[in-house]
Amino acid sequence: MVAEVLGDYPTESAALKAVAQKPGIGSTETLRKWVRQDQVDSGQRPGTTTEESAQLKALKKENAELRRANEILKAAASFFAAEIDRPHTRS
């Protein structure tokens, strides 16, 4: 919406203010962030795209899960190693 009306205003700030005044639109700063993210996503501006952010978030979650699994496996290995070292008596 901002891109559509940008030519009607002298500055981007003026266009953002005009669009932000419409019902249902948040503050001018929120709108500015949306526009910047759209520019990044479309390749007009450098930065981390929405897709890259989602992939990074998923990888961080997977990494945390793998770390937890490794801790469980280490604890299990220690437990079973201790069982092997204990002398067993038959009754």
Side-chain angles (χ1 to χ4, degrees):
M1 186 182 277
V2 174
E4 295 169 0
V5 299
L6 196 54
D8 299 341
Y9 296 92
T11 64
E12 183 184 46
S13 293
L16 287 167
K17 287 178 187 175
V19 172
Q21 291 175 352
K22 297 188 184 286
I25 303 293
S27 70
T28 304
E29 187 57 30
T30 300
L31 186 57
R32 184 184 328 275
K33 288 179 182 180
W34 290 345
V35 168
R36 295 293 181 264
Q37 189 61 53
D38 181 61
Q39 290 170 341
V40 169
D41 289 346
S42 65
Q44 298 172 15
R45 177 181 282 270
T48 305
T49 65
T50 303
E51 184 179 336
E52 290 169 336
S53 293
Q55 288 173 343
L56 184 59
K57 183 178 178 181
L59 288 171
K60 285 182 178 183
K61 182 179 177 182
E62 182 181 357
N63 193 11
E65 290 171 3
L66 291 171
R67 287 181 191 272
R68 281 192 296 274
N70 280 341
E71 291 301 317
I72 291 168
L73 290 172
K74 285 179 188 177
S78 295
F79 172 79
F80 288 117
E83 284 294 314
I84 291 172
D85 291 340
R86 287 191 192 136
H88 293 283
T89 58
R90 293 186 178 206
S91 323

Coordinates of all heavy atoms in Angstrom, one line a residue:
M1 N 0.8 -1.2 0.0 CA 0.0 0.0 0.0 C 0.9 1.3 0.0 O 0.6 2.2 -0.7 CB -0.9 0.0 1.2 CG -1.9 1.1 1.2 SD -3.0 1.1 2.7 CE -4.2 0.0 2.2
V2 N 2.0 1.2 0.8 CA 2.9 2.4 0.8 C 3.5 2.6 -0.5 O 3.6 3.7 -1.0 CB 3.9 2.2 1.9 CG1 5.0 3.3 1.9 CG2 3.3 2.1 3.3
A3 N 3.9 1.5 -1.2 CA 4.6 1.6 -2.5 C 3.6 2.2 -3.5 O 4.0 3.0 -4.4 CB 5.0 0.3 -3.0
E4 N 2.3 2.0 -3.4 CA 1.3 2.5 -4.3 C 1.1 4.0 -4.2 O 0.9 4.6 -5.2 CB 0.0 1.8 -4.1 CG 0.0 0.3 -4.4 CD -1.3 -0.4 -3.9 OE1 -2.2 0.2 -3.4 OE2 -1.3 -1.7 -4.1
V5 N 1.3 4.5 -3.0 CA 1.0 5.9 -2.8 C 2.3 6.7 -2.7 O 2.2 8.0 -2.5 CB 0.1 6.2 -1.6 CG1 -1.2 5.5 -1.8 CG2 0.8 5.7 -0.3
L6 N 3.4 6.1 -2.7 CA 4.7 6.8 -2.5 C 4.9 8.0 -3.4 O 5.4 9.0 -3.0 CB 5.9 5.8 -2.7 CG 7.2 6.2 -2.1 CD1 7.1 6.6 -0.7 CD2 8.2 5.1 -2.3
G7 N 4.5 7.8 -4.7 CA 4.7 8.9 -5.6 C 3.8 10.1 -5.4 O 4.0 11.2 -5.8
D8 N 2.7 10.0 -4.5 CA 1.8 11.1 -4.2 C 2.3 12.0 -3.1 O 1.7 13.0 -2.8 CB 0.5 10.5 -3.8 CG -0.2 9.7 -4.9 OD1 0.2 9.8 -6.1 OD2 -1.1 8.8 -4.6
Y9 N 3.4 11.6 -2.5 CA 4.0 12.3 -1.3 C 5.4 12.7 -1.5 O 6.1 12.0 -2.2 CB 3.8 11.5 0.0 CG 2.4 11.2 0.3 CD1 1.7 10.0 -0.1 CD2 1.6 12.1 1.1 CE1 0.4 9.8 0.2 CE2 0.3 11.9 1.4 CZ -0.3 10.7 0.9 OH -1.6 10.5 1.2
P10 N 5.9 13.8 -0.9 CA 7.2 14.2 -1.1 C 8.3 13.3 -0.5 O 9.4 13.2 -1.0 CB 7.3 15.6 -0.5 CG 6.1 15.7 0.5 CD 5.1 14.7 -0.1
T11 N 7.9 12.6 0.6 CA 8.9 11.8 1.2 C 8.3 10.4 1.6 O 7.0 10.3 1.7 CB 9.5 12.4 2.5 OG1 8.4 12.6 3.5 CG2 10.1 13.7 2.3
E12 N 9.1 9.5 1.9 CA 8.6 8.2 2.3 C 7.9 8.3 3.7 O 6.8 7.7 3.9 CB 9.7 7.1 2.4 CG 9.2 5.8 2.8 CD 10.3 4.8 3.0 OE1 11.3 5.1 3.7 OE2 10.1 3.6 2.5
S13 N 8.4 9.2 4.5 CA 7.8 9.4 5.9 C 6.4 9.9 5.7 O 5.5 9.5 6.5 CB 8.7 10.4 6.7 OG 9.9 9.8 7.0
A14 N 6.2 10.8 4.8 CA 4.9 11.4 4.6 C 3.9 10.3 4.1 O 2.7 10.3 4.6 CB 4.9 12.5 3.6
A15 N 4.4 9.5 3.2 CA 3.5 8.4 2.7 C 3.2 7.4 3.8 O 2.1 6.9 4.0 CB 4.2 7.7 1.6
L16 N 4.2 7.1 4.7 CA 4.0 6.2 5.8 C 2.9 6.8 6.8 O 2.0 6.1 7.2 CB 5.3 5.9 6.5 CG 6.3 5.0 5.8 CD1 7.6 5.1 6.5 CD2 5.8 3.6 5.8
K17 N 3.1 8.0 7.1 CA 2.1 8.7 8.0 C 0.7 8.6 7.4 O -0.3 8.4 8.1 CB 2.5 10.1 8.3 CG 3.7 10.3 9.2 CD 4.1 11.7 9.3 CE 5.4 11.8 10.1 NZ 5.9 13.2 10.2
A18 N 0.5 8.9 6.1 CA -0.8 8.9 5.5 C -1.4 7.5 5.5 O -2.6 7.4 5.8 CB -0.7 9.4 4.1
V19 N -0.6 6.5 5.2 CA -1.1 5.1 5.2 C -1.4 4.7 6.7 O -2.4 4.0 6.9 CB -0.2 4.2 4.5 CG1 -0.6 2.7 4.7 CG2 -0.1 4.5 3.0
A20 N -0.6 5.0 7.6 CA -0.8 4.6 9.0 C -2.0 5.2 9.6 O -2.6 4.6 10.6 CB 0.5 5.0 9.8
Q21 N -2.5 6.3 9.1 CA -3.8 6.9 9.6 C -5.0 6.1 9.2 O -6.1 6.3 9.8 CB -3.9 8.3 9.1 CG -2.8 9.2 9.7 CD -2.9 10.7 9.2 OE1 -3.6 10.9 8.2 NE2 -2.1 11.5 9.8
K22 N -4.9 5.2 8.2 CA -6.1 4.4 7.8 C -6.4 3.5 8.9 O -5.6 3.0 9.7 CB -5.8 3.7 6.5 CG -5.5 4.6 5.4 CD -5.4 3.9 4.1 CE -5.0 4.8 2.9 NZ -6.0 5.7 2.5
P23 N -7.7 3.1 9.1 CA -8.1 2.2 10.1 C -7.5 0.8 10.0 O -7.3 0.3 8.9 CB -9.7 2.1 9.9 CG -10.0 3.3 9.1 CD -8.8 3.7 8.3
G24 N -7.1 0.3 11.1 CA -6.6 -1.1 11.1 C -5.1 -1.1 11.0 O -4.5 -2.2 11.0
I25 N -4.4 0.0 10.7 CA -3.0 0.0 10.5 C -2.4 0.5 11.9 O -3.0 1.4 12.5 CB -2.6 1.0 9.4 CG1 -3.2 0.7 8.1 CG2 -1.1 1.1 9.3 CD1 -2.7 -0.6 7.5
G26 N -1.3 -0.1 12.3 CA -0.7 0.2 13.5 C 0.0 1.6 13.4 O -0.4 2.5 12.7
S27 N 1.0 1.8 14.2 CA 1.7 3.0 14.2 C 2.6 3.2 13.0 O 2.8 2.2 12.2 CB 2.6 3.1 15.5 OG 3.7 2.1 15.3
T28 N 3.1 4.4 12.8 CA 3.9 4.6 11.6 C 5.2 3.8 11.7 O 5.7 3.3 10.7 CB 4.3 6.1 11.6 OG1 3.1 6.9 11.6 CG2 5.2 6.5 10.4
E29 N 5.7 3.6 12.9 CA 7.0 2.8 13.0 C 6.7 1.3 12.7 O 7.5 0.7 12.1 CB 7.5 2.9 14.5 CG 8.9 2.2 14.7 CD 9.9 2.7 13.7 OE1 9.9 3.9 13.3 OE2 10.8 2.0 13.4
T30 N 5.6 0.8 13.1 CA 5.2 -0.6 12.7 C 5.1 -0.7 11.2 O 5.7 -1.7 10.6 CB 3.8 -1.0 13.4 OG1 4.0 -0.9 14.8 CG2 3.4 -2.4 13.0
L31 N 4.5 0.2 10.6 CA 4.3 0.2 9.1 C 5.7 0.3 8.5 O 6.0 -0.4 7.5 CB 3.4 1.4 8.7 CG 3.1 1.4 7.2 CD1 2.4 0.1 6.8 CD2 2.2 2.6 7.0
R32 N 6.6 1.2 9.0 CA 7.9 1.3 8.5 C 8.7 0.0 8.5 O 9.4 -0.4 7.6 CB 8.7 2.4 9.2 CG 10.1 2.7 8.7 CD 10.9 3.7 9.5 NE 10.1 4.7 10.2 CZ 9.7 5.9 9.6 NH1 10.0 6.1 8.4 NH2 9.0 6.8 10.4
K33 N 8.6 -0.7 9.6 CA 9.2 -2.0 9.8 C 8.7 -3.0 8.7 O 9.5 -3.8 8.2 CB 9.0 -2.6 11.2 CG 9.9 -1.9 12.2 CD 9.6 -2.5 13.6 CE 10.4 -1.7 14.7 NZ 10.2 -2.3 16.0
W34 N 7.4 -3.0 8.5 CA 6.8 -3.9 7.5 C 7.3 -3.6 6.1 O 7.6 -4.5 5.3 CB 5.3 -3.8 7.5 CG 4.6 -4.3 8.7 CD1 5.1 -5.2 9.7 CD2 3.2 -4.1 9.1 NE1 4.1 -5.4 10.6 CE2 3.0 -4.8 10.3 CE3 2.2 -3.3 8.5 CZ2 1.8 -4.8 10.9 CZ3 1.0 -3.3 9.2 CH2 0.8 -4.0 10.4
V35 N 7.4 -2.3 5.8 CA 7.9 -1.9 4.5 C 9.4 -2.3 4.4 O 9.8 -2.9 3.3 CB 7.8 -0.4 4.3 CG1 8.5 0.1 3.1 CG2 6.3 0.0 4.2
R36 N 10.2 -2.1 5.4 CA 11.6 -2.5 5.3 C 11.7 -4.0 5.1 O 12.6 -4.5 4.3 CB 12.4 -2.1 6.6 CG 12.5 -0.6 6.8 CD 13.3 0.1 5.8 NE 13.4 1.5 6.0 CZ 12.7 2.4 5.4 NH1 11.8 2.1 4.5 NH2 12.8 3.7 5.7
Q37 N 10.9 -4.8 5.8 CA 11.0 -6.2 5.7 C 10.6 -6.7 4.3 O 11.2 -7.6 3.7 CB 10.2 -6.9 6.8 CG 10.4 -8.4 6.8 CD 11.8 -8.8 7.1 OE1 12.4 -8.4 8.1 NE2 12.4 -9.6 6.3
D38 N 9.6 -6.0 3.8 CA 9.2 -6.3 2.4 C 10.3 -6.0 1.4 O 10.5 -6.7 0.5 CB 7.9 -5.5 2.0 CG 7.4 -5.8 0.6 OD1 7.1 -7.0 0.4 OD2 7.4 -4.9 -0.2
Q39 N 11.0 -4.9 1.6 CA 12.1 -4.5 0.8 C 13.2 -5.6 0.9 O 13.8 -5.9 -0.2 CB 12.6 -3.1 1.1 CG 11.7 -2.0 0.8 CD 12.1 -0.7 1.3 OE1 12.9 -0.6 2.3 NE2 11.5 0.4 0.8
V40 N 13.5 -6.1 2.0 CA 14.5 -7.1 2.2 C 14.1 -8.4 1.5 O 14.8 -9.0 0.8 CB 14.8 -7.4 3.7 CG1 15.6 -8.6 3.9 CG2 15.5 -6.2 4.4
D41 N 12.8 -8.8 1.7 CA 12.3 -10.0 1.1 C 12.3 -10.0 -0.4 O 12.5 -11.0 -1.1 CB 10.8 -10.3 1.6 CG 10.8 -10.7 3.1 OD1 11.9 -11.1 3.6 OD2 9.7 -10.7 3.7
S42 N 12.1 -8.8 -1.0 CA 12.0 -8.6 -2.4 C 13.4 -8.4 -3.0 O 13.5 -8.2 -4.2 CB 11.0 -7.5 -2.8 OG 11.5 -6.3 -2.4
G43 N 14.4 -8.3 -2.2 CA 15.8 -8.1 -2.7 C 16.2 -6.7 -2.9 O 17.3 -6.4 -3.5
Q44 N 15.3 -5.7 -2.6 CA 15.6 -4.3 -2.8 C 16.6 -3.7 -1.7 O 17.2 -2.7 -1.9 CB 14.4 -3.5 -2.8 CG 13.4 -3.9 -3.8 CD 12.0 -3.1 -3.7 OE1 11.9 -2.2 -2.9 NE2 11.0 -3.6 -4.3
R45 N 16.7 -4.4 -0.6 CA 17.5 -3.9 0.5 C 18.2 -5.1 1.1 O 17.6 -6.2 1.2 CB 16.5 -3.3 1.6 CG 17.1 -2.8 2.8 CD 16.0 -2.3 3.7 NE 15.6 -1.0 3.3 CZ 16.1 0.2 3.8 NH1 17.1 0.2 4.6 NH2 15.6 1.3 3.4
P46 N 19.5 -5.0 1.6 CA 20.2 -6.1 2.2 C 19.6 -6.4 3.6 O 19.1 -5.5 4.2 CB 21.6 -5.6 2.3 CG 21.5 -4.1 2.3 CD 20.3 -3.8 1.5
G47 N 19.7 -7.6 4.0 CA 19.2 -8.0 5.3 C 18.8 -9.5 5.3 O 18.9 -10.2 4.3
T48 N 18.3 -9.9 6.4 CA 17.8 -11.3 6.6 C 16.4 -11.4 6.2 O 15.5 -10.7 6.8 CB 18.0 -11.7 8.1 OG1 19.3 -11.6 8.4 CG2 17.6 -13.2 8.2
T49 N 16.1 -12.2 5.2 CA 14.7 -12.3 4.7 C 13.8 -13.1 5.7 O 14.3 -13.7 6.7 CB 14.6 -13.1 3.4 OG1 15.1 -14.4 3.6 CG2 15.5 -12.4 2.3
T50 N 12.5 -13.0 5.6 CA 11.6 -13.7 6.4 C 11.8 -15.2 6.4 O 11.8 -15.9 7.4 CB 10.1 -13.3 6.0 OG1 10.0 -11.9 6.1 CG2 9.1 -14.0 6.9
E51 N 12.1 -15.7 5.2 CA 12.3 -17.1 5.0 C 13.6 -17.5 5.7 O 13.7 -18.6 6.4 CB 12.4 -17.5 3.5 CG 12.6 -18.9 3.2 CD 12.7 -19.3 1.7 OE1 12.1 -18.5 0.9 OE2 13.2 -20.3 1.4
E52 N 14.7 -16.8 5.6 CA 15.9 -17.1 6.3 C 15.8 -17.0 7.8 O 16.3 -17.9 8.5 CB 17.0 -16.1 5.8 CG 17.5 -16.2 4.4 CD 18.4 -15.1 3.9 OE1 18.3 -14.0 4.5 OE2 19.1 -15.4 3.0
S53 N 15.0 -16.1 8.3 CA 14.7 -16.0 9.7 C 14.0 -17.3 10.2 O 14.3 -17.8 11.3 CB 13.9 -14.8 10.0 OG 14.6 -13.6 9.8
A54 N 13.0 -17.7 9.4 CA 12.3 -18.9 9.8 C 13.2 -20.2 9.8 O 13.1 -21.0 10.7 CB 11.1 -19.1 8.8
Q55 N 14.1 -20.2 8.8 CA 15.0 -21.4 8.7 C 16.0 -21.3 9.9 O 16.2 -22.4 10.5 CB 15.8 -21.3 7.4 CG 15.0 -21.7 6.2 CD 15.8 -21.5 4.9 OE1 16.8 -20.8 4.9 NE2 15.3 -22.1 3.8
L56 N 16.4 -20.2 10.2 CA 17.4 -20.0 11.3 C 16.7 -20.4 12.7 O 17.3 -21.1 13.5 CB 17.9 -18.6 11.4 CG 18.9 -18.3 12.5 CD1 20.1 -19.2 12.3 CD2 19.3 -16.8 12.5
K57 N 15.5 -20.0 12.8 CA 14.7 -20.4 14.0 C 14.5 -21.9 14.1 O 14.7 -22.5 15.2 CB 13.3 -19.7 14.0 CG 12.5 -19.9 15.2 CD 11.2 -19.2 15.2 CE 10.3 -19.4 16.4 NZ 9.0 -18.7 16.3
A58 N 14.2 -22.5 13.0 CA 14.0 -24.0 13.0 C 15.3 -24.7 13.3 O 15.3 -25.7 14.0 CB 13.4 -24.4 11.6
L59 N 16.4 -24.2 12.7 CA 17.7 -24.8 13.0 C 18.1 -24.7 14.4 O 18.7 -25.6 15.0 CB 18.8 -24.2 12.0 CG 18.6 -24.6 10.6 CD1 19.6 -23.8 9.7 CD2 18.9 -26.1 10.4
K60 N 17.8 -23.5 15.0 CA 18.2 -23.3 16.4 C 17.4 -24.3 17.3 O 17.9 -24.9 18.3 CB 17.9 -21.9 16.8 CG 19.0 -20.9 16.3 CD 18.7 -19.5 16.8 CE 19.8 -18.6 16.4 NZ 19.6 -17.2 16.9
K61 N 16.1 -24.5 16.9 CA 15.3 -25.4 17.7 C 15.8 -26.8 17.6 O 15.9 -27.6 18.5 CB 13.8 -25.3 17.2 CG 12.9 -26.2 17.9 CD 11.4 -26.1 17.4 CE 10.5 -27.0 18.1 NZ 9.1 -26.9 17.6
E62 N 16.1 -27.2 16.3 CA 16.7 -28.6 16.1 C 18.0 -28.8 16.8 O 18.2 -29.8 17.4 CB 16.9 -28.8 14.6 CG 17.4 -30.2 14.3 CD 17.6 -30.4 12.8 OE1 17.3 -29.5 12.0 OE2 18.1 -31.5 12.4
N63 N 18.8 -27.7 16.8 CA 20.1 -27.8 17.5 C 19.9 -28.0 19.0 O 20.6 -28.9 19.7 CB 20.9 -26.5 17.3 CG 22.3 -26.6 17.7 OD1 22.8 -27.7 18.0 ND2 23.0 -25.5 17.7
A64 N 18.9 -27.3 19.6 CA 18.6 -27.5 21.0 C 18.1 -28.9 21.3 O 18.5 -29.5 22.3 CB 17.6 -26.4 21.5
E65 N 17.3 -29.4 20.5 CA 16.8 -30.8 20.6 C 17.9 -31.8 20.6 O 17.9 -32.8 21.3 CB 15.7 -31.1 19.6 CG 14.4 -30.3 19.8 CD 13.4 -30.5 18.6 OE1 13.7 -31.2 17.7 OE2 12.4 -29.8 18.7
L66 N 18.8 -31.6 19.6 CA 19.9 -32.5 19.5 C 20.9 -32.4 20.7 O 21.4 -33.5 21.1 CB 20.7 -32.2 18.2 CG 20.0 -32.6 16.9 CD1 20.7 -32.0 15.7 CD2 19.7 -34.1 16.8
R67 N 21.1 -31.3 21.2 CA 21.9 -31.1 22.4 C 21.2 -31.9 23.6 O 21.9 -32.6 24.4 CB 22.1 -29.7 22.8 CG 23.0 -28.9 21.9 CD 23.2 -27.5 22.3 NE 23.8 -26.7 21.4 CZ 25.2 -26.5 21.3 NH1 25.9 -27.1 22.2 NH2 25.7 -25.8 20.4
R68 N 19.9 -31.8 23.7 CA 19.2 -32.5 24.8 C 19.4 -34.0 24.6 O 19.6 -34.7 25.6 CB 17.7 -32.1 24.9 CG 17.5 -30.8 25.6 CD 16.0 -30.5 25.9 NE 15.2 -30.4 24.7 CZ 15.0 -29.3 24.0 NH1 15.6 -28.2 24.4 NH2 14.3 -29.3 22.9
A69 N 19.2 -34.4 23.4 CA 19.3 -35.9 23.1 C 20.7 -36.4 23.4 O 20.9 -37.4 24.0 CB 19.0 -36.1 21.6
N70 N 21.7 -35.6 23.1 CA 23.1 -35.9 23.4 C 23.4 -36.0 24.9 O 24.0 -37.0 25.3 CB 24.1 -35.0 22.7 CG 24.3 -35.2 21.3 OD1 24.1 -36.3 20.8 ND2 24.9 -34.2 20.6
E71 N 22.8 -35.1 25.6 CA 22.9 -35.2 27.1 C 22.3 -36.5 27.6 O 22.8 -37.1 28.5 CB 22.3 -33.9 27.7 CG 23.1 -32.7 27.5 CD 24.5 -32.7 28.0 OE1 24.8 -33.3 29.1 OE2 25.4 -32.3 27.2
I72 N 21.1 -36.8 27.1 CA 20.5 -38.0 27.6 C 21.3 -39.3 27.2 O 21.5 -40.2 28.1 CB 19.0 -38.1 26.9 CG1 18.1 -37.1 27.5 CG2 18.5 -39.5 27.1 CD1 16.8 -36.9 26.8
L73 N 21.9 -39.3 26.0 CA 22.7 -40.4 25.6 C 24.0 -40.5 26.5 O 24.4 -41.6 26.8 CB 23.1 -40.3 24.1 CG 21.9 -40.5 23.2 CD1 22.3 -40.2 21.7 CD2 21.4 -42.0 23.3
K74 N 24.6 -39.4 26.8 CA 25.8 -39.4 27.6 C 25.4 -39.9 29.0 O 26.2 -40.7 29.6 CB 26.3 -37.9 27.8 CG 27.1 -37.4 26.6 CD 27.6 -36.0 26.8 CE 28.2 -35.4 25.6 NZ 28.6 -34.0 25.8
A75 N 24.3 -39.5 29.6 CA 23.9 -40.0 30.9 C 23.6 -41.5 30.8 O 24.0 -42.2 31.8 CB 22.6 -39.2 31.4
A76 N 23.0 -41.9 29.8 CA 22.7 -43.4 29.7 C 24.0 -44.1 29.5 O 24.2 -45.2 30.1 CB 21.8 -43.6 28.5
A77 N 24.9 -43.6 28.7 CA 26.2 -44.3 28.6 C 27.0 -44.4 29.9 O 27.5 -45.4 30.2 CB 27.1 -43.6 27.5
S78 N 26.9 -43.3 30.7 CA 27.6 -43.3 32.0 C 26.9 -44.4 32.9 O 27.6 -45.1 33.6 CB 27.5 -42.0 32.6 OG 28.2 -41.0 31.9
F79 N 25.6 -44.4 32.9 CA 24.9 -45.4 33.7 C 25.3 -46.8 33.4 O 25.6 -47.6 34.2 CB 23.4 -45.1 33.6 CG 22.6 -46.2 34.3 CD1 22.4 -46.1 35.6 CD2 22.0 -47.2 33.6 CE1 21.6 -47.1 36.3 CE2 21.2 -48.2 34.2 CZ 21.0 -48.1 35.6
F80 N 25.2 -47.1 32.1 CA 25.5 -48.5 31.7 C 27.0 -48.8 31.8 O 27.3 -50.0 32.1 CB 25.0 -48.7 30.2 CG 23.5 -48.8 30.1 CD1 22.8 -47.9 29.4 CD2 22.8 -49.8 30.8 CE1 21.5 -47.9 29.3 CE2 21.5 -49.9 30.7 CZ 20.8 -48.9 29.9
A81 N 27.9 -47.9 31.7 CA 29.3 -48.1 31.9 C 29.5 -48.5 33.4 O 30.3 -49.3 33.7 CB 30.1 -46.9 31.5
A82 N 28.8 -47.8 34.3 CA 28.9 -48.0 35.7 C 28.4 -49.4 36.0 O 28.9 -50.1 36.9 CB 28.2 -47.0 36.5
E83 N 27.3 -49.8 35.4 CA 26.7 -51.2 35.6 C 27.7 -52.2 35.2 O 27.8 -53.3 35.8 CB 25.4 -51.3 34.8 CG 24.2 -50.6 35.4 CD 23.8 -51.2 36.7 OE1 23.7 -52.4 36.8 OE2 23.6 -50.4 37.6
I84 N 28.4 -52.0 34.1 CA 29.4 -53.0 33.6 C 30.6 -53.2 34.6 O 31.1 -54.3 34.8 CB 29.9 -52.6 32.2 CG1 28.8 -52.8 31.2 CG2 31.1 -53.5 31.8 CD1 29.1 -52.2 29.8
D85 N 31.0 -52.1 35.2 CA 32.1 -52.1 36.1 C 31.8 -52.7 37.5 O 32.7 -53.1 38.2 CB 32.6 -50.6 36.4 CG 33.3 -50.1 35.1 OD1 33.7 -50.9 34.3 OD2 33.5 -48.9 35.0
R86 N 30.5 -52.7 37.9 CA 30.1 -53.3 39.2 C 30.3 -54.8 39.1 O 29.9 -55.5 38.2 CB 28.6 -53.0 39.5 CG 28.4 -51.6 39.8 CD 27.0 -51.4 40.4 NE 26.8 -49.9 40.4 CZ 25.7 -49.3 40.1 NH1 24.7 -50.0 39.6 NH2 25.5 -48.0 40.1
P87 N 30.7 -55.3 40.2 CA 30.8 -56.8 40.3 C 29.4 -57.4 40.5 O 28.6 -56.9 41.2 CB 31.7 -57.1 41.5 CG 31.6 -55.8 42.3 CD 31.3 -54.7 41.4
H88 N 29.1 -58.4 39.7 CA 27.8 -59.1 39.8 C 27.9 -60.3 40.6 O 28.8 -61.1 40.5 CB 27.3 -59.4 38.4 CG 27.0 -58.2 37.6 ND1 25.9 -57.4 37.7 CD2 27.8 -57.6 36.6 CE1 25.9 -56.4 36.9 NE2 27.1 -56.5 36.2
T89 N 27.0 -60.5 41.5 CA 26.9 -61.7 42.3 C 25.7 -62.5 41.9 O 24.6 -61.9 41.6 CB 26.9 -61.4 43.8 OG1 25.7 -60.6 44.0 CG2 28.1 -60.6 44.2
R90 N 25.9 -63.8 41.9 CA 24.7 -64.7 41.5 C 24.1 -65.2 42.8 O 24.8 -65.6 43.7 CB 25.1 -65.8 40.6 CG 25.6 -65.3 39.3 CD 25.9 -66.4 38.4 NE 26.2 -65.9 37.1 CZ 26.1 -66.5 36.0 NH1 25.6 -67.7 35.9 NH2 26.4 -65.9 34.9
S91 N 22.9 -65.2 42.9 CA 22.2 -65.8 44.1 C 21.7 -67.1 43.9 O 21.4 -67.6 42.9 CB 21.0 -64.9 44.5 OG 21.2 -63.6 44.3

